[in-house]
Amino acid sequence: MLTWMGVWAFMCGIMGYIGDRQAQSVLLSGLNKLEYRGYDSAGVAIAGDAELQVEKSVGRLAVLADHLAMSPIVGKVGIGHTRWATHGRPSDENAHPHTACDREFAVVHNGIIENYLQLKEHLLSRGHRFTSETDTEVVAHLLEEYFTGDLFSTVLRVIKEIRGAYALAVVAEKEPEKIVAVRKHSPLVVGFGDGEQFLASDIPALLDYTREVHILAEGEIAVLTKDGIACYDLAGEPMTVEPFFVTWDAQAAEKGGYAHYMLKEIYEQPKAVRDTLSGRLTEEGRGVVLPELAWTVEEIKKIDRIHIVACGTSYHAGLVGKAAIEQLARIPVDVEVASEYRYRDPILSADTLILVISQSGETADTLAALRNAKACGNRVLAITNVVGSSVAREADDVMITWAGPEISVASTKAYTTQLIALYLLAIYLGQSLQVIDAVFISELVHEMQTLPQKLDDVLETAPQIEKIAQAFSTWDDAFFLGRGIDYFVALEGALKYKEISYIHAEAYPAGELKHGTLALIVEQVPVIALVTQDVLYEKSLSNIKEVKARDAYVLGIAWAGDDEIAKSVDRVLYVPRTMSFFAPVMLIAPLQLLAYYASVARGNDVDKPRNLAKSVTVE
Ligand code: AGP
């Protein structure tokens, strides 16, 4: 059985068809299978016998399907798209496919074009007229600008100009018997039929038509015609195509071969971290740029306090954000649970910045806290994973975490990318206020860029964690301990653990145990001790000895190379060392996996745990 362990961030769904069927029905069917990848707008472009026709609309795929049912588009070649907005809010104009001035080309895109602003300026100076706010539209205009009469060579020329992560599919009115597609960092697969060929972001979209597929490699270009698919590298040299036969059922395929969305989303974290950093570091990698924040240094200097307001996992990310902002920018930060904050009439000065964090951007308590702050006239910055969400629309400024849709109720990649957004903000504030010097800033930026690879390394330890989780899952209690930032991660680890395994789990500041909770520590009860904060190391060890003295079973999670900890605990999981306040990015992955495997061991519905919803849109 082929296990597809590809790690791809999910932002949008692409579908393409060429053959003897009416393209419209194939595109809609494929997009329907891809809607879990993004669903704020959708569209199709079909090259009929006459001109290229485009139909697209904001909203779920059903809205587009209704439009097409009323006025179908005839044609046997087409591309389609279901969107997860990154640049440009969800709207009809921002929906894909995008065309250029004379609508002779249509393009759909999944990913981020980092240099789209420069390209757009150049194209505007050349007289091109844009109709959307998206990065993608520049591709359509570049095609128009460089069209040589041959679509394939034109695409080769265009992709030399764009930087970033992209999966692209293009059709041209003047070459209606062809689809050209390119893959760079975002997924694309092609499917082989008899006298018909298929293209999609993900395998599930193909399985109703074919199980013979080829996954495009990095930098691979596919040219689909009715009779076959030819693949090339970026230099235009032919590449060998290695089809494989997919044995998965459609449902398994939606999870990319993983057993659950949660596991897939845990493994997407390195890519999600990389995408969230993308476009927010200076060219030479020595500083942070936040194009989404047009703040002057004067405005930043006026901020006298920051209130971070969130719920659940997002609240736990906010605690780490407090540590980072106070250390790197020396601005005082309070972190509050939104359901409390919204009712307690907080003391605000005119210069208190409210920072709301919400994966869904729809959490009722967080949204209410945002509205209260706005009513008081305070500036609100939001960190959210959903472009166009209520929080994103109502905040004054927004930082998007580019994790892509998070399907599983238990939040994983959203948390990790919230941490990255908070680190970027902390560095941005610190460098604007000149609290941290250029050398330290470049060290921070360099270290952040190593985190995706280090996360990959941590995920390699999954088999060990699975065995530990199976043992722990026989217990009805678990305690998570940490000091300083490690305690904030312990809180998130305990929440993950309890919400999907249904095992009672508590997190404690390690120094707090002796003030009561130690009474619950009995022989072999699982205790997970996080030990990465060097300045608190000795204290953490002595707390571990307290619980060992009561015969608890202690799992330590510590920096690779720490031989001391092994003498004090029953088992150690090592994570690659990084700077102390980046520790949560390393520590959280083993805790997510521990929770996941404990839940599986107990036979729970991992992705849809009892009593919980993915977005708590009610009080
Ligand atoms: C996290 O695993 C939970 N699903 C939950 O605590 C969640 O983080 C909380 O409801 C906040 O959601 P939000 O980030 O979408 O606002």
Side-chain angles (χ1 to χ4, degrees), residues 310-315 357-363 366 408-412 418 492 495-496 499 612-616:
C311 299
T313 288
S314 299
Y315 166 74
I357 306 174
S358 175
Q359 186 285 131
S360 62
E362 300 300 343
T363 298
T366 306
S408 190
V409 166
S411 186
T412 51
Q418 286 166 354
E492 176 54 14
L495 175 61
K496 287 278 99 43
E499 74 173 320
L612 301 179
K614 181 57 186 169
S615 175
V616 184

Side-chain angles (χ1 to χ4, degrees), residues 501-532:
S501 73
Y502 312 152
I503 295 171
H504 166 252
E506 289 185 60
Y508 265 85
E512 189 61 11
L513 267 184
K514 52 186 163 302
H515 299 284
T517 305
L518 202 56
L520 295 178
I521 303 297
V522 296
E523 188 178 348
Q524 291 303 295
V525 71
V527 173
I528 297 92
L530 309 181
V531 191
T532 67

